[in-house]
C-alpha cells in the first residue's frame, strides 16, 4: 500500500489517541512528512522496537505497540499452554500508556500479563521475568535516547533479550497482521478483575534488592568509612531502587540532584539523557563543586547504565565506561582473590569494542575473559551457557564500554543498581587506603599501559539516512582499506560475513569467524591500534570505535586523532 493510502487509512482508523489525530491533520499536504511516517514499519528484531513518537507505521504509538504485542501473543500461544509476560516501563512520554496497551492485548489473547504498578528499571523487568517464571518480558523504554523517542524491548524466559530465532518468528507473525483489524484488545479493568492482568506491586523491590545485596564483595567496606555521594537519576527509574540499595548497605550521605530527581519524560535539564556525555551530568557536576563528594553517580532513564565522575585532585572528571569497567573487574577479582571467595575457573565477559586493558587485568587474576559481539544480550547468553552446565558460580563480571555492568546472575541485562552499589563499595574500599578512584585508575595505567578508547558518532536521520548507512557499509566491504592513518591493516574481520583475514608480507591469510553474524567491520593495525565500524542497533547512527595504546596519554590522544581523521575520510564523512 502506498504511503498516501496508508495516511488516509490512519486518518480514518487511528482515532483513539488525540495526539495522533492532531499530528495526522498537521501533516496534511506535507509529502515528505507523510512519506517518512509511512514508508516502512518500525523494524522488529532482538532489540524490539525503537523509534520517534508519533503517528504512522514508522513511529512509536499505541497501534504499533498493539500490533507487536499481538504478534508476541500469537507466538506464545503456539508454543505454550499457559503463557505469561512481565511488563514494565520507564519515565518516557507515553511509556505507561504503551505498557498498559500491551497488557490489554495479551489479556485479550489469553496470555497472562504481569504489569508493574509503577515505572521500574530495565534490570527489574529482567528480574520480574525470572521471578514470575514468564516466557517473555516487555520493557517500554528507549534507554538514553532523546525525549522524542520511545521503544519496546523484548526478553526471553531467562530474562535475557529475545534471541534472533524467536524475534524472527514474532516478526513473521507480525507480517501477516493488519494493524487495525487483526489486533485483540481487552477492557483493562475487567482484565485486572478476572486476573488476566496481574499488578506487580512494591513486593518486587525486596526480592530484587536481596539479590543485588548478595553481590557485595568487601562486606566491611562501609564500616568506619563515610562515603559522600551525589546522585542523579536523570529523571528516570533509578531514583527509588538505587537510593534503597545505598541506604541498605549503610551509605547515608547521599545528595540528590533535585532538578533531575523525579520522573520527567521531557528531560528538560538534559536533552540527551545519556550518562556517557558531560552535558547530561552537568547539573551533578555543578552540585559536586558545592558538596565535594567522593563520587558522582548518574543512571540513565531505564537505569541499566551508570556514569560517574570523581575528583582527580584539581577537578571532577568523568570516568569512561571502559575505565569504570576495568576498575570494577580489578576490584572484584582482586578482593575475591584476597578474601578467598574467588570461584573456581572464574569467567568475565566483555564486548569486542571494549578496552583491551580488561584482557591484561583478567590475565593478572587468572580470569578467563570471553569476548562477544556488542549488545548485552550476548553477555546474558554466556551466563545462560554456564547455567545450562550448572556453572553459574563461575560468572564474575560482565561489562561493555557503553557504561553497562553486571555482577551476579539474578538478571540477564546490565544493571545500574548493582553497579552503583559496587562502585560506592569500591570507593569506600580504596578510601580506607587513602586512594581515590582517579588515583587507582592511574595506578592501573602505570601497571598495564596507557589505553585510550574513543568513539565517533555520525547520525543519519530518516529514510535517506538509513539508506546512506547501508551504502557506506557495503562500500567499505567492497573497498577494504589496506592502511588507516598510515598504518597497515594487519588483521580484518567482517562479522556480517563471518570471515576475516590477516596480512603477512602482503599475503592474505583467511580465517573463519565463530561469533554470531553482525553488521560490524574490524581493522587491527600494525601499531597495535584498531578501528571498529558498527551501525547502531538502536539508533540511526554509525559508530566508529578507536583503540590506541600509547607511551603516555598525549601519545595515545595523538594516535586517536589520526585514526579519527583518516577513518572519517575513508567513509566519506569529512
Amino acid at each position: 500500500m502506498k504511503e498516501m493510502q496508508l495516511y488516509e487509512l490512519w486518518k480514518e482508523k487511528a482515532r483513539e489517541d488525540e495526539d495522533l489525530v492532531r499530528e495526522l491533520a498537521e501533516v496534511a499536504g506535507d509529502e515528505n512528512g507523510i512519506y517518512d511516517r509511512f514508508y516502512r514499519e518500525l523494524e522488529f528484531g532482538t532489540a524490539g522496537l525503537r523509534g520517534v513518537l508519533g503517528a504512522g507505521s514508522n513511529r512509536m504509538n499505541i497501534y504499533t505497540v498493539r500490533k507487536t504485542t499481538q504478534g508476541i501473543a500469537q507466538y506464545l500461544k503456539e508454543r505454550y499452554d499457559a503463557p505469561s509476560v512481565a511488563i514494565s516501563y520507564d519515565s518516557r512520554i507515553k511509556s505507561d500508556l504503551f505498557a498498559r496497551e500491551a497488557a490489554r492485548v495479551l489479556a485479550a489473547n489469553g496470555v497472562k500479563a504481569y504489569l508493574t504498578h509503577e515505572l521500574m528499571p530495565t534490570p527489574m523487568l529482567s528480574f520480574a521475568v525470572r521471578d514470575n517464571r514468564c516466557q517473555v518480558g516487555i520493557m517500554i523504554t528507549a534507554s538514553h535516547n532523546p525525549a522524542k523517542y520511545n521503544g519496546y524491548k523484548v526478553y526471553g524466559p531467562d530474562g535475557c533479550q529475545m534471541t534472533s530465532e524467536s524475534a524472527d518468528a514474532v516478526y513473521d507473525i507480525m507480517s501477516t497482521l493488519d494493524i487495525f483489524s487483526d489486533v485483540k484488545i481487552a477492557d483493562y479493568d475487567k482484565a485486572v478483575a478476572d486476573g488476566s492482568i496481574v499488578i506487580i506491586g512494591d513486593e518486587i523491590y525486596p526480592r530484587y534488592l536481596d539479590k543485588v545485596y548478595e553481590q557485595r564483595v568487601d562486606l566491611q567496606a562501609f564500616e568506619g568509612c563515610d562515603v559522600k555521594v551525589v546522585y542523579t537519576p536523570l529523571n528516570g527509574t533509578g531514583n527509588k531502587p538505587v537510593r534503597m540499595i545505598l541506604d541498605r548497605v549503610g551509605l547515608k550521605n547521599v545528595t540528590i540532584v533535585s532538578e533531575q530527581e523525579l520522573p520527567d519524560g521531557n528531560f528538560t535539564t538534559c536533552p540527551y539523557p545519556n550518562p556517557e556525555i558531560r552535558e547530561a551530568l552537568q547539573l551533578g557536576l555543578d552540585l559536586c563543586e558545592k558538596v565535594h563528594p567522593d563520587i558522582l553517580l548518574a543512571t540513565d532513564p531505564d537505569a541499566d547504565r551508570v556514569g560517574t565522575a570523581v575528583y582527580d585532585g584539581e577537578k571532577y572528571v568523568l570516568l569512561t565506561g571502559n575505565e569504570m569497567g576495568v576498575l570494577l573487574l580489578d576490584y572484584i577479582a582482586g578482593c575475591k582473590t584476597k578474601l578467598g571467595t574467588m570461584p573456581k575457573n572464574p569467567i568475565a565477559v566483555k564486548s569486542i569494542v571494549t578496552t583491551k586493558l580488561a584482557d591484561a587485568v583478567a590475565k593478572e587474576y587468572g580470569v578467563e575473559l570471553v569476548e562477544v559481539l556488542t549488545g548485552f544480550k550476548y553477555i546474558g547468553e554466556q551466563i545462560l551457557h554456564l547455567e545450562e552446565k550448572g556453572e553459574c558460580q563461575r560468572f564474575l563480571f560482565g561489562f561493555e564500554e557503553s557504561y553497562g555492568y553486571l555482577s551476579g546472575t539474578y538478571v540477564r541485562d546490565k544493571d545500574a543498581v548493582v553497579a552503583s552499589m559496587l562502585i560506592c563499595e569500591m570507593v569506600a574500599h580504596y578510601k580506607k587506603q587513602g586512594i581515590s578512584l582517579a588515583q587507582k585508575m592511574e595506578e592501573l595505567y602505570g601497571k598495564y599501559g596507557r589505553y585510550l578508547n574513543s568513539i565517533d558518532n555520525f547520525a543519519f536521520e530518516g529514510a535517506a539516512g538509513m539508506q546512506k548507512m547501508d551504502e557506506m557499509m557495503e562500500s567499505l566491504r567492497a573497498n577494504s582499506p589496506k592502511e588507516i592513518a598510515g598504518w597497515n591493516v594487519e588483521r580484518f574481520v567482517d562479522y556480517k560475513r563471518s570471515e576475516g583475514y590477516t596480512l603477512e608480507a602482503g599475503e592474505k591469510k583467511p580465517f573463519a569467524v565463530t561469533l554470531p553474524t553482525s553488521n560490524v567491520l574490524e581493522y587491527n593495525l600494525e601499531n597495535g591500534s584498531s578501528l571498529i565500524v558498527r551501525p547502531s542497533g538502536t539508533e540511526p547512527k554509525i559508530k566508529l570505535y578507536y583503540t590506541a595504546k600509547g607511551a603516555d596519554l598525549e601519545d595515545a590522544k595523538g594516535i586517536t586523532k589520526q585514526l579519527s581523521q583518516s577513518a572519517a575520510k575513508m567513509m566519506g564523512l569529512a
Side-chain angles (χ1 to χ4, degrees), residues 333-354:
C335 260
K336 283 183 175 290
T337 298
K338 290 178 182 177
L339 295 170
T341 56
M342 179 74 95
K344 187 177 180 181
N345 301 319
I347 286 179
V349 190
K350 74 176 184 70
S351 66
I352 59 174
V353 299
T354 299

Side-chain angles (χ1 to χ4, degrees), residues 417-431:
V417 182
V418 74
S420 295
M421 180 191 75
L422 287 173
I423 289 168
C424 290
E425 179 188 305
M426 179 170 59
V427 169
H429 178 87
Y430 290 130
K431 187 173 183 179

Side-chain angles (χ1 to χ4, degrees), residues 107-141:
N109 283 275
V111 178
K112 179 173 284 190
Y114 290 90
L115 175 64
T116 59
H117 77 294
E118 64 183 7
L119 73 171
M120 291 185 187
T122 288
M124 289 190 70
L125 181 277
S126 177
F127 178 80
V129 171
R130 299 173 61 82
D131 192 47
N132 293 284
R133 295 179 173 84
C134 295
Q135 286 72 48
V136 161
I138 296 170
M139 180 69 193
I140 306 298
T141 179

Side-chain angles (χ1 to χ4, degrees), residues 241-256:
V242 169
R243 294 171 75 173
M244 289 172 75
I245 196 62
L246 294 185
D247 180 72
R248 182 168 176 180
V249 299
L251 205 165
K252 308 297 182 182
N253 201 340
V254 180
T255 304
I256 308 300

